Amino acid sequence: LSGSAQFGMSGCRNVWILKPAGRSRGIGIFLSDDLEEILHCARTSKSTTTWVCQKYIERPLLLGGRKHDIRQWVLVTCVNPLVIWFYGECYVRIAAEEYGLDDIRANLRHLTNNAIASQHPQFDADDDHWKCMWEESEYRKFLQSTFGFDAYTSKVLPAMKQAVIETLKSTQEALADSQGAACCFELLGYDFMVDTDLGVWLLEVNTSPSMEYSTNVTGRMCPAVLEDSLRVVLQGDGPEEAPHGAFELLYTGPSLPEDRSPNVAAAAGLLTLEGKRIRRPEPELLPNVLGLDGGADLLARLAERREQEIGLLVERQRLQRAKEQEKRDRSRRLKESLKLKVLRSASAASLPQLLAAPCTGDQG
């Protein structure tokens, strides 16, 4: 199980997050751990929208007990060849309430969109806590103090850059075939989340990222991003020391072949997917980890985490059994109460008849 790339974030609740396609600002997003509910949602609304269903990150890195994600701006100035620019500063969006899985319907603790956080009665765009947003510098300091090293520079930032390159490379042909691709540029908003093991996960890519001055953080950054985007598009129309503003050239790829098929979608329909079931590693393979640097610590952490997950699962099953028992007891008490009422009603109705009836039979 530890060999899975998602081991550090999956947790044991099997929670999934569903997002309606083409929507923004957190509208319509909900969490579910019920397969029937997920399938029902997909079936009943398939005529009006499609859904994106993702495994929910159950073990997010928390900032003072609250979830967060990272908004990173990316500028694409050409798709053939692919040219990607990466903005030199991100910002962090924080959920309004403390994180917990006891109520997966509480969006104020599970969603970090500013449009959702601003619905909290104590939200304040100028308050350090209740604006629910950090600048990159504050986030760097938090990671440094929490992990004891510059985790942002050595872990988070390289992972984000790699994800940006790979996602855009994977869609390059489709983008190049779109109308007007040869004479346009695109400012994208990438959303990332970090888990407890400093794993970086791409949540989504926004083609129309919000540039609203929602707090003093975005009030400072959004105008700068727009201005620097024009500097890049106008080919370095900025000061000599920073001709492209805060954007850095992240990637320049080769041109696509001239003889490629123009209908990528049709070609994709011919693709097939084969795979095999993921199985747990054999027990005899696990001791080999001890030979690695920090292997013993890794095994201890994995064992501790597994023990915690089993404990949570056992507690969840206990609560479920207690709930079912309470339901059975309530049903039994209700039946007994109804039975008693029926007997009392029957007795009250038959008593006058018994008193009025003549005595018959053997009076011995």
Side-chain angles (χ1 to χ4, degrees):
L1 289 176
S2 62
S4 169
Q6 296 187 358
F7 179 77
M9 54 75 100
S10 290
C12 59
R13 284 286 306 275
N14 198 30
V15 179
W16 296 75
I17 184 168
L18 286 89
K19 311 174 183 180
R23 304 298 292 270
S24 61
R25 303 174 68 83
I27 297 173
I29 298 177
F30 71 96
L31 275 60
S32 178
D33 57 0
D34 186 339
L35 178 59
E36 290 301 321
E37 179 185 36
I38 294 173
L39 294 177
H40 176 75
C41 175
R43 293 181 186 127
T44 55
S45 59
K46 63 182 181 181
S47 62
T48 57
T49 187
T50 55
W51 291 85
V52 177
C53 183
Q54 297 173 297
K55 179 65 187 71
Y56 187 63
I57 299 176
E58 298 182 25
R59 295 180 174 275
L61 180 64
L62 302 180
L63 309 184
R66 299 186 294 173
K67 271 187 63 175
H68 74 283
D69 71 3
I70 301 172
R71 167 58 59 91
Q72 175 64 53
W73 282 296
V74 172
L75 182 65
V76 179
T77 54
C78 185
V79 293
N80 188 21
L82 182 60
V83 181
I84 308 171
W85 298 79
F86 193 90
Y87 199 67
E89 185 180 3
C90 66
Y91 68 91
V92 177
R93 305 181 302 182
I94 308 173
E97 295 182 351
E98 290 192 358
Y99 175 73
L101 286 173
D102 54 307
D103 183 2
I104 60 175
R105 298 300 192 192
N107 282 351
L108 286 173
R109 67 172 63 174
H110 294 293
L111 302 185
T112 57
N113 308 62
N114 179 261
I116 298 296
S118 61
Q119 297 175 13
H120 195 281
Q122 292 182 268
F123 177 82
D124 186 340
D126 297 317
D127 182 82
D128 288 342
H129 179 85
W130 286 111
K131 67 184 177 185
C132 300
M133 194 174 290
W134 278 5
E135 295 192 357
E136 180 189 301
S137 58
E138 189 172 1
Y139 188 56
R140 285 174 177 264
K141 291 177 183 178
F142 172 84
L143 295 180
Q144 176 73 44
S145 63
T146 301
F147 295 96
F149 67 99
D150 188 1
Y152 183 82
T153 302
S154 60
K155 292 281 189 179
V156 177
L157 186 59
M160 290 197 299
K161 289 183 176 181
Q162 188 63 34
V164 168
I165 293 173
E166 297 304 326
T167 52
L168 288 172
K169 284 172 64 177
S170 69
T171 59
Q172 182 184 7
E173 288 197 13
L175 293 174
D177 286 336
S178 60
Q179 186 175 4
C183 55
C184 68
F185 65 93
E186 186 82 49
L187 179 64
L188 304 171
Y190 272 71
D191 292 339
F192 295 95
M193 185 165 288
V194 181
D195 65 27
T196 53
D197 294 328
L198 289 176
V200 179
W201 302 93
L202 173 62
L203 301 181
E204 61 186 24
V205 183
N206 298 275
T207 54
S208 299
S210 172
M211 305 303 286
E212 179 185 0
Y213 300 175
S214 54
T215 69
N216 53 13
V217 176
T218 50
R220 176 185 64 83
M221 295 185 65
C222 288
V225 171
L226 294 175
E227 184 176 339
D228 289 347
S229 297
L230 291 178
R231 286 174 173 169
V232 174
V233 173
L234 297 176
Q235 301 181 355
D237 186 21
E240 183 177 349
E241 65 276 11
H244 303 108
F247 276 104
E248 65 167 301
L249 180 60
L250 178 63
Y251 177 83
T252 301
S255 298
L256 295 171
E258 294 292 338
D259 57 349
R260 64 190 176 88
S261 170
N263 194 340
V264 178
L270 302 176
L271 297 177
T272 60
L273 177 66
E274 295 182 359
K276 62 180 181 179
R277 181 180 178 183
I278 299 177
R279 300 182 181 275
R280 294 184 63 179
E282 297 296 330
E284 60 267 22
L285 297 179
L286 293 176
N288 293 338
V289 180
L290 294 172
L292 302 175
D293 292 339
D297 292 339
L298 175 61
L299 285 179
R301 287 171 50 213
L302 294 177
E304 180 182 1
R305 177 180 299 167
R306 187 59 181 165
E307 184 176 351
Q308 292 174 351
E309 292 179 347
I310 292 175
L312 289 172
L313 182 58
V314 169
E315 177 63 15
R316 185 184 180 191
Q317 291 175 343
R318 184 191 68 78
L319 293 174
Q320 183 65 27
R321 287 195 298 269
K323 184 177 180 180
E324 292 174 354
Q325 183 62 44
E326 182 182 356
K327 184 178 180 180
R328 288 193 295 268
D329 291 343
R330 187 166 57 250
S331 177
R332 177 180 54 79
R333 290 193 299 267
L334 180 60
K335 289 179 180 179
E336 291 177 353
S337 177
L338 289 174
K339 182 179 179 181
L340 184 59
K341 288 181 179 180
V342 170
L343 290 175
R344 287 176 178 173
S345 177
S347 298
S350 60
L351 183 57
Q353 298 177 4
L354 292 174
L355 294 175
C359 294
T360 60
D362 186 5
Q363 299 297 315

